[in-house]
Amino acid sequence: MKEELIAKVVHVLRINMSWMTWNLFLAFIPLALSVWLFRMRRGGTWLWWLGFLVFYAFLPNAPYLLTDVIHLIDDIRTIQSVWIITLVLIPVYLLVILGGFEAYVISLINWGHYLHRIGKSQWIWRVELITHFLCAIGVYWGRFLRFNSWDFITQPDAVITKGVEEILGKQPLVIIAISFVILIGLYWIMKRVTLGFIRQPKDAYPLNTQSADTNTAMLDE
């Protein structure tokens, strides 16, 4: 019985590792781009803007990993062992999902660092909200319409026509709205946790950008 259970766990993990590895790879693409775009270079060149577009095209892949929890439900039904589920399956899923979302958080922190560096700190929270909304749409396109980031190049007409048509329905709008709220809440928590572990230089952008805007305005007066 134990051998059969172990074989089943190994089989499930082997199947999952393929898509987990691939999805994590896609999630880390925007993270790598954010370091190059927002930490190592200044904007203005055509190469920077090209990288910026690619960054936003791939960014939804990071929070997309949150939706992979649906695979966990299927795996729980397959294994049916409380100990294996608790000690093996759930930790693996948490590691992958949190890894993908952390890539999303750090990518936006780097984006905010760049805005602060060029004197646009007042735009940080606005850019974050816009990004959450765009990624909520991107997650919906990926999970329900099965679009990929490279479809913007390979089939842009389908992305524009089918993608826009689908999100105008009542159910898609509800799903996107819920995803948007979840992204805001999780990002708010994870951003503070992440910045708590990162040693910030004196000129780093403030955590509460709205408060910083108010203080800046008072100083200007």
Side-chain angles (χ1 to χ4, degrees):
M1 186 65 181
K2 289 183 179 179
E3 290 77 7
E4 182 181 349
L5 183 59
I6 293 174
K8 187 181 292 186
V9 172
V10 171
H11 175 68
V12 169
L13 290 179
R14 186 178 298 170
I15 293 175
N16 287 335
M17 281 303 149
S18 59
W19 65 258
M20 284 180 174
T21 304
W22 176 246
N23 285 356
L24 273 177
F25 170 74
L26 293 178
F28 277 86
I29 289 177
L31 174 58
L33 283 172
S34 73
V35 173
W36 181 74
L37 288 168
F38 308 131
R39 294 283 183 173
M40 300 173 61
R41 296 182 64 90
R42 292 191 67 89
T45 66
W46 68 268
L47 184 61
W48 189 92
W49 282 108
L50 177 61
F52 183 77
L53 292 176
V54 175
F55 167 76
Y56 262 98
F58 277 87
L59 188 60
N61 289 294
Y64 176 85
L65 278 160
L66 293 172
T67 67
D68 285 332
V69 72
I70 63 174
H71 299 299
L72 174 60
I73 298 172
D74 293 334
D75 290 343
I76 289 174
R77 292 171 180 168
T78 300
I79 294 177
Q80 296 181 344
S81 169
V82 176
W83 289 109
I84 297 298
I85 291 170
T86 305
L87 299 177
V88 179
L89 205 59
I90 291 179
V92 169
Y93 269 88
L94 281 177
L95 182 64
V96 172
I97 292 173
L98 287 177
F101 197 76
E102 183 64 17
Y104 178 71
V105 172
I106 297 176
S107 295
L108 286 188
I109 288 176
N110 288 337
W111 193 184
H113 172 83
Y114 178 81
L115 290 171
H116 176 71
R117 196 175 71 193
I118 63 175
K120 302 293 182 180
S121 297
Q122 70 274 16
W123 278 96
I124 294 176
W125 68 273
R126 297 181 179 91
V127 167
E128 289 175 344
L129 286 179
I130 293 171
T131 302
H132 296 330
F133 179 71
L134 293 176
C135 284
I137 295 176
V139 169
Y140 178 84
W141 280 351
R143 175 54 65 190
F144 294 96
L145 303 185
R146 310 308 298 171
F147 282 131
N148 296 306
S149 298
W150 46 87
D151 287 333
F152 284 102
I153 297 176
T154 59
Q155 47 178 341
D157 53 339
V159 174
I160 294 174
T161 56
K162 185 180 179 182
V164 173
E165 288 175 3
E166 287 288 335
I167 65 174
L168 295 179
K170 183 177 180 180
Q171 183 177 356
L173 287 176
V174 171
I175 295 174
I176 290 171
I178 294 174
S179 301
F180 177 59
V181 173
I182 291 174
L183 288 180
I184 291 176
L186 288 179
Y187 177 76
W188 186 87
I189 296 171
M190 291 298 295
K191 179 181 179 181
R192 278 148 182 78
V193 172
T194 302
L195 291 177
F197 282 99
I198 299 176
R199 178 178 292 181
Q200 293 289 303
K202 293 182 179 180
D203 62 341
Y205 74 92
L207 188 61
N208 191 339
T209 52
Q210 288 177 282
S211 299
D213 297 342
T214 304
N215 294 336
T216 303
M218 292 175 63
L219 289 173
D220 291 341
E221 292 175 358

